[in-house]
């Protein structure tokens, strides 16, 4: 994916059209308020906590979709693999930003507490309304795109140091040895934009809308178990 692709479609917003959409939008905006209040402009620390939460929906959705497909003995239409890839991708975001910004003990506690609370909430929401759950993720990713855009501005204006990209990020996204934090934030933001469109598409499909094509996110190296290369 070239630089033009990474810079396009960054201001996409799905306007709420239903009660379900408005509930999802209001919930995500309340989360945004809490994040802004707690982290202010410490975007590296914000990323560590929020990426921990962001990795939850894909795994929950994949698990429940898998069980549903087994019960109904039906095809999953590729949803399970897509959601598991999303969860793995968000986890790699977390592993990257841990290298960039070492979380404090308090932030690690916050990570554990928020993750469990959000996991239980999202699991219950997905059981009750998968459509609303995917809309929540779509709006969550919209806010992630905004946050990473602000992070880029902090780097460009010299308020955040543009340190060398961690090795884990260079290996995962195939970035050059000269890559910096700015390059990492660009590909992470593009990942989030891809997840945004996928989850809004899932929500639309569950609402009876047409299936829409989604442009792929940045290329990355598929992760393999260590024993496969032993």
């Amino acid at each position: 994916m070239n630089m033009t692709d990474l810079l396009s479609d960054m201001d996409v917003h799905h306007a709420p059209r239903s009660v379900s959409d408005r509930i999802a939008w209001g919930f995500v905006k309340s989360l945004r308020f809490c994040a802004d209040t707690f982290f202010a402009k410490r975007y590296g620390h914000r990323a560590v906590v929020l990426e921990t939460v962001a990795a939850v929906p894909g795994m929950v959705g994949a698990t429940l979709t898998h069980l549903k497909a087994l019960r109904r003995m039906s095809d999953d239409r590729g949803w399970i693999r897509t959601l598991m890839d999303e969860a793995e991708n968000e986890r790699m975001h977390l592993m990257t930003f841990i290298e960039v910004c070492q979380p404090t003990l308090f932030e690690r506690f916050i990570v554990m507490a928020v993750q469990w609370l959000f996991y239980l909430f999202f699991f219950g929401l997905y059981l009750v309304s998968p459509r609303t759950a995917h809309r929540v993720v779509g709006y969550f990713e919209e806010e992630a795109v905004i946050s990473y855009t602000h992070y880029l501005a902090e780097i460009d204006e010299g308020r955040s140091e543009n340190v060398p990209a961690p090795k884990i990020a260079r290996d995962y996204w195939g970035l050059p040895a000269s890559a910096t934090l700015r390059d990492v934030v660009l590909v992470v933001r593009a990942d989030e934009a891809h997840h945004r469109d996928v989850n809004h598409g899932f929500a639309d499909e569950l609402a009876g809308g047409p299936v829409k094509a989604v442009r792929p996110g940045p290329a990355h190296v598929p992760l393999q178990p260590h024993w496969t290369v032993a």
Side-chain angles (χ1 to χ4, degrees), residues 35-57:
D36 287 345
T37 301
F38 185 80
F39 294 105
K41 293 188 176 182
R42 296 184 302 138
Y43 289 105
H45 293 267
R46 179 198 295 248
V48 167
V49 175
L50 295 187
E51 292 295 353
T52 305
V53 174
V56 169

Side-chain angles (χ1 to χ4, degrees), residues 133-147:
H134 283 293
R135 192 69 76 197
V136 164
V137 179
Y139 286 135
F140 188 88
E141 300 294 8
E142 287 184 15
E143 295 299 324
V145 169
I146 293 171
S147 291

Side-chain angles (χ1 to χ4, degrees), residues 2-230:
N2 61 40
M3 191 61 65
T4 300
D5 291 329
L6 292 178
L7 294 175
S8 62
D9 296 337
M10 290 298 114
D11 58 352
V12 172
H13 170 60
H14 177 89
R17 301 191 187 98
S18 65
V19 173
S20 172
D21 289 356
R22 293 186 182 92
I23 291 173
W25 177 238
F27 172 71
V28 170
K29 276 301 184 181
S30 67
L31 291 181
R32 177 66 192 235
F33 174 79
C34 293
D36 287 345
T37 301
F38 185 80
F39 294 105
K41 293 188 176 182
R42 296 184 302 138
Y43 289 105
H45 293 267
R46 179 198 295 248
V48 167
V49 175
L50 295 187
E51 292 295 353
T52 305
V53 174
V56 169
M59 190 57 68
V60 170
T63 299
L64 294 179
T65 301
H66 176 67
L67 295 175
K68 179 181 177 181
L70 292 177
R71 290 195 307 273
R72 297 186 176 184
M73 303 179 189
S74 61
D75 180 57
D76 73 308
R77 296 171 296 171
W79 284 39
I80 297 171
R81 182 72 264 171
T82 299
L83 292 168
M84 290 188 70
D85 286 346
E86 176 185 310
E88 179 183 84
N89 181 250
E90 297 286 11
R91 182 176 59 81
M92 291 304 294
H93 292 178
L94 171 66
M95 301 304 293
T96 295
F97 284 109
I98 284 177
E99 295 292 325
V100 173
C101 180
Q102 293 293 329
T104 65
L105 287 176
F106 178 67
E107 286 168 340
R108 288 178 181 271
F109 170 76
I110 293 295
V111 162
M112 290 188 291
V114 171
Q115 184 187 74
W116 273 108
L117 288 172
F118 188 75
Y119 177 87
L120 294 173
F121 162 79
F122 195 81
F123 191 94
L125 177 62
Y126 207 98
L127 284 174
V128 173
S129 176
R131 171 189 171 185
T132 304
H134 283 293
R135 192 69 76 197
V136 164
V137 179
Y139 286 135
F140 188 88
E141 300 294 8
E142 287 184 15
E143 295 299 324
V145 169
I146 293 171
S147 291
Y148 284 117
T149 299
H150 291 167
Y151 198 179
L152 284 172
E154 291 287 306
I155 295 171
D156 290 342
E157 294 168 14
R159 290 188 293 273
S160 291
E161 185 180 0
N162 191 23
V163 299
K167 183 179 184 301
I168 189 173
R170 297 198 309 271
D171 292 345
Y172 181 65
W173 284 285
L175 299 174
S178 59
T180 64
L181 175 59
R182 189 180 194 281
D183 299 313
V184 172
V185 174
L186 276 173
V187 291
V188 168
R189 184 179 67 167
D191 277 339
E192 306 294 16
H194 173 68
H195 300 324
R196 171 200 66 200
D197 297 341
V198 167
N199 280 278
H200 279 317
F202 281 170
D204 289 342
E205 189 174 341
L206 289 169
V211 178
K212 300 177 183 178
V214 176
R215 188 177 56 189
H220 57 76
V221 176
L223 301 179
Q224 299 291 339
H226 294 305
W227 55 262
T228 63
V229 294

